[in-house]
CSV table of all heavy atoms in Angstrom, one decimal:
chain,number,residue,atom,x,y,z
A,919,ALA,N,9.7,-10.5,-14.4
A,919,ALA,CA,9.9,-11.4,-13.2
A,919,ALA,C,9.8,-10.6,-11.9
A,919,ALA,O,10.4,-9.5,-11.9
A,919,ALA,CB,11.2,-12.2,-13.3
A,920,GLY,N,9.0,-11.0,-10.9
A,920,GLY,CA,9.0,-10.3,-9.7
A,920,GLY,C,7.9,-9.3,-9.6
A,920,GLY,O,7.8,-8.7,-8.5
A,921,LEU,N,7.1,-9.1,-10.6
A,921,LEU,CA,6.0,-8.1,-10.6
A,921,LEU,C,4.7,-8.9,-10.6
A,921,LEU,O,4.6,-10.0,-11.1
A,921,LEU,CB,6.1,-7.2,-11.8
A,921,LEU,CG,6.9,-5.9,-11.6
A,921,LEU,CD1,8.3,-6.2,-11.5
A,921,LEU,CD2,6.6,-5.0,-12.8
A,922,ARG,N,3.7,-8.2,-10.0
A,922,ARG,CA,2.3,-8.7,-10.0
A,922,ARG,C,1.4,-7.5,-10.0
A,922,ARG,O,1.7,-6.4,-9.6
A,922,ARG,CB,2.0,-9.6,-8.8
A,922,ARG,CG,2.1,-8.9,-7.5
A,922,ARG,CD,1.5,-9.9,-6.4
A,922,ARG,NE,1.7,-9.2,-5.1
A,922,ARG,CZ,0.8,-8.4,-4.6
A,922,ARG,NH1,-0.2,-8.0,-5.3
A,922,ARG,NH2,1.1,-7.9,-3.4
A,923,ALA,N,0.2,-7.7,-10.5
A,923,ALA,CA,-0.8,-6.7,-10.6
A,923,ALA,C,-1.3,-6.4,-9.1
A,923,ALA,O,-1.4,-7.2,-8.2
A,923,ALA,CB,-2.0,-7.1,-11.4
A,924,ALA,N,-1.5,-5.1,-8.9
A,924,ALA,CA,-1.9,-4.7,-7.5
A,924,ALA,C,-3.3,-5.0,-7.3
A,924,ALA,O,-4.1,-5.2,-8.2
A,924,ALA,CB,-1.7,-3.1,-7.4
A,925,GLN,N,-3.7,-5.2,-6.0
A,925,GLN,CA,-5.0,-5.4,-5.5
A,925,GLN,C,-5.6,-4.1,-5.2
A,925,GLN,O,-4.9,-3.1,-4.9
A,925,GLN,CB,-5.0,-6.3,-4.4
A,925,GLN,CG,-4.5,-7.7,-4.7
A,925,GLN,CD,-4.5,-8.7,-3.5
A,925,GLN,OE1,-5.3,-8.5,-2.6
A,925,GLN,NE2,-3.6,-9.7,-3.5
A,926,PRO,N,-7.0,-4.0,-5.0
A,926,PRO,CA,-7.6,-2.7,-4.7
A,926,PRO,C,-7.1,-2.1,-3.4
A,926,PRO,O,-7.0,-2.8,-2.4
A,926,PRO,CB,-9.1,-3.1,-4.5
A,926,PRO,CG,-9.2,-4.3,-5.4
A,926,PRO,CD,-8.0,-5.1,-5.3
A,927,GLY,N,-6.7,-0.9,-3.4
A,927,GLY,CA,-6.2,-0.1,-2.3
A,927,GLY,C,-4.8,-0.5,-1.8
A,927,GLY,O,-4.3,0.0,-0.8
A,928,GLU,N,-4.1,-1.3,-2.6
A,928,GLU,CA,-2.8,-1.8,-2.1
A,928,GLU,C,-1.7,-0.7,-2.1
A,928,GLU,O,-0.8,-0.7,-1.2
A,928,GLU,CB,-2.3,-3.0,-2.9
A,928,GLU,CG,-1.1,-3.7,-2.3
A,928,GLU,CD,-0.8,-5.0,-2.9
A,928,GLU,OE1,-1.5,-5.4,-3.9
A,928,GLU,OE2,0.1,-5.7,-2.4
A,929,PHE,N,-1.7,0.2,-3.1
A,929,PHE,CA,-0.8,1.3,-3.0
A,929,PHE,C,-1.0,2.2,-1.8
A,929,PHE,O,0.0,2.5,-1.1
A,929,PHE,CB,-0.9,2.2,-4.3
A,929,PHE,CG,-0.4,1.6,-5.5
A,929,PHE,CD1,-1.2,0.9,-6.4
A,929,PHE,CD2,1.0,1.8,-5.8
A,929,PHE,CE1,-0.6,0.3,-7.5
A,929,PHE,CE2,1.5,1.3,-7.0
A,929,PHE,CZ,0.7,0.5,-7.8
A,930,THR,N,-2.2,2.5,-1.4
A,930,THR,CA,-2.5,3.3,-0.2
A,930,THR,C,-2.2,2.5,1.0
A,930,THR,O,-1.7,3.1,2.0
A,930,THR,CB,-4.0,3.8,-0.3
A,930,THR,OG1,-4.3,4.4,-1.5
A,930,THR,CG2,-4.2,4.8,0.9
A,931,ARG,N,-2.5,1.2,1.0
A,931,ARG,CA,-2.2,0.4,2.2
A,931,ARG,C,-0.6,0.4,2.4
A,931,ARG,O,-0.2,0.4,3.6
A,931,ARG,CB,-2.6,-1.1,1.9
A,931,ARG,CG,-2.3,-2.1,3.0
A,931,ARG,CD,-3.0,-1.7,4.3
A,931,ARG,NE,-2.6,-2.6,5.4
A,931,ARG,CZ,-3.3,-3.6,5.8
A,931,ARG,NH1,-4.5,-3.9,5.2
A,931,ARG,NH2,-2.9,-4.4,6.8
A,932,ARG,N,0.2,0.4,1.4
A,932,ARG,CA,1.6,0.4,1.5
A,932,ARG,C,2.1,1.7,2.1
A,932,ARG,O,2.9,1.8,2.9
A,932,ARG,CB,2.3,0.0,0.2
A,932,ARG,CG,2.1,-1.4,-0.2
A,932,ARG,CD,3.0,-1.8,-1.4
A,932,ARG,NE,2.8,-3.2,-1.6
A,932,ARG,CZ,3.7,-4.0,-2.3
A,932,ARG,NH1,4.8,-3.4,-2.7
A,932,ARG,NH2,3.5,-5.2,-2.5
A,933,ALA,N,1.4,2.8,1.6
A,933,ALA,CA,1.7,4.1,2.2
A,933,ALA,C,1.5,4.2,3.6
A,933,ALA,O,2.2,4.8,4.4
A,933,ALA,CB,0.9,5.2,1.4
A,934,PHE,N,0.4,3.6,4.1
A,934,PHE,CA,0.0,3.5,5.5
A,934,PHE,C,1.0,2.7,6.2
A,934,PHE,O,1.5,3.1,7.3
A,934,PHE,CB,-1.4,3.0,5.7
A,934,PHE,CG,-1.8,2.6,7.1
A,934,PHE,CD1,-2.0,3.6,8.0
A,934,PHE,CD2,-1.8,1.3,7.5
A,934,PHE,CE1,-2.4,3.3,9.3
A,934,PHE,CE2,-2.1,1.0,8.8
A,934,PHE,CZ,-2.4,2.0,9.7
A,935,ASP,N,1.3,1.5,5.7
A,935,ASP,CA,2.2,0.6,6.4
A,935,ASP,C,3.6,1.1,6.5
A,935,ASP,O,4.4,0.9,7.5
A,935,ASP,CB,2.2,-0.8,5.7
A,935,ASP,CG,1.0,-1.6,5.9
A,935,ASP,OD1,0.3,-1.4,7.0
A,935,ASP,OD2,0.7,-2.5,5.1
A,936,ASN,N,4.0,2.0,5.6
A,936,ASN,CA,5.3,2.5,5.6
A,936,ASN,C,5.4,3.9,6.2
A,936,ASN,O,6.4,4.6,6.1
A,936,ASN,CB,5.9,2.6,4.2
A,936,ASN,CG,6.2,1.2,3.6
A,936,ASN,OD1,6.7,0.4,4.3
A,936,ASN,ND2,5.9,1.0,2.3
A,937,GLY,N,4.3,4.3,6.8
A,937,GLY,CA,4.3,5.6,7.6
A,937,GLY,C,4.2,6.9,6.7
A,937,GLY,O,4.4,7.9,7.2
A,938,ARG,N,3.8,6.7,5.5
A,938,ARG,CA,3.7,7.9,4.6
A,938,ARG,C,2.4,8.7,4.9
A,938,ARG,O,2.3,9.9,4.7
A,938,ARG,CB,3.8,7.5,3.1
A,938,ARG,CG,5.1,6.9,2.7
A,938,ARG,CD,6.2,7.8,3.0
A,938,ARG,NE,6.1,9.0,2.1
A,938,ARG,CZ,7.0,10.0,2.2
A,938,ARG,NH1,7.9,10.1,3.1
A,938,ARG,NH2,6.8,11.0,1.3
A,939,ILE,N,1.4,7.9,5.3
A,939,ILE,CA,0.1,8.5,5.7
A,939,ILE,C,-0.4,7.8,7.0
A,939,ILE,O,0.0,6.6,7.2
A,939,ILE,CB,-1.0,8.5,4.6
A,939,ILE,CG1,-1.3,7.0,4.3
A,939,ILE,CG2,-0.6,9.3,3.5
A,939,ILE,CD1,-2.5,6.9,3.3
A,940,ASP,N,-1.3,8.4,7.7
A,940,ASP,CA,-1.9,7.7,8.9
A,940,ASP,C,-3.3,7.2,8.5
A,940,ASP,O,-3.7,7.5,7.4
A,940,ASP,CB,-1.8,8.5,10.1
A,940,ASP,CG,-2.6,9.7,10.1
A,940,ASP,OD1,-3.6,9.8,9.4
A,940,ASP,OD2,-2.3,10.7,10.8
A,941,LEU,N,-3.9,6.6,9.4
A,941,LEU,CA,-5.2,5.9,9.1
A,941,LEU,C,-6.3,7.0,8.8
A,941,LEU,O,-7.1,6.9,7.9
A,941,LEU,CB,-5.7,5.0,10.2
A,941,LEU,CG,-6.9,4.2,10.0
A,941,LEU,CD1,-6.8,3.4,8.7
A,941,LEU,CD2,-7.2,3.4,11.2
A,942,ALA,N,-6.3,8.1,9.6
A,942,ALA,CA,-7.2,9.2,9.3
A,942,ALA,C,-7.1,9.8,8.0
A,942,ALA,O,-8.0,10.1,7.2
A,942,ALA,CB,-7.1,10.2,10.4
């Protein structure tokens, strides 16, 4: 419960949104 399959690029998008990496 509470889990779903990721979409393409979603792990990296979360890293960007959470400030772990920048856009470049």
Side-chain angles (χ1 to χ4, degrees):
L921 268 68
R922 65 171 175 82
Q925 297 181 24
E928 192 166 5
F929 284 92
T930 308
R931 176 64 182 264
R932 291 187 175 204
F934 169 75
D935 286 336
N936 291 322
R938 299 299 294 173
I939 60 174
D940 64 29
L941 187 56

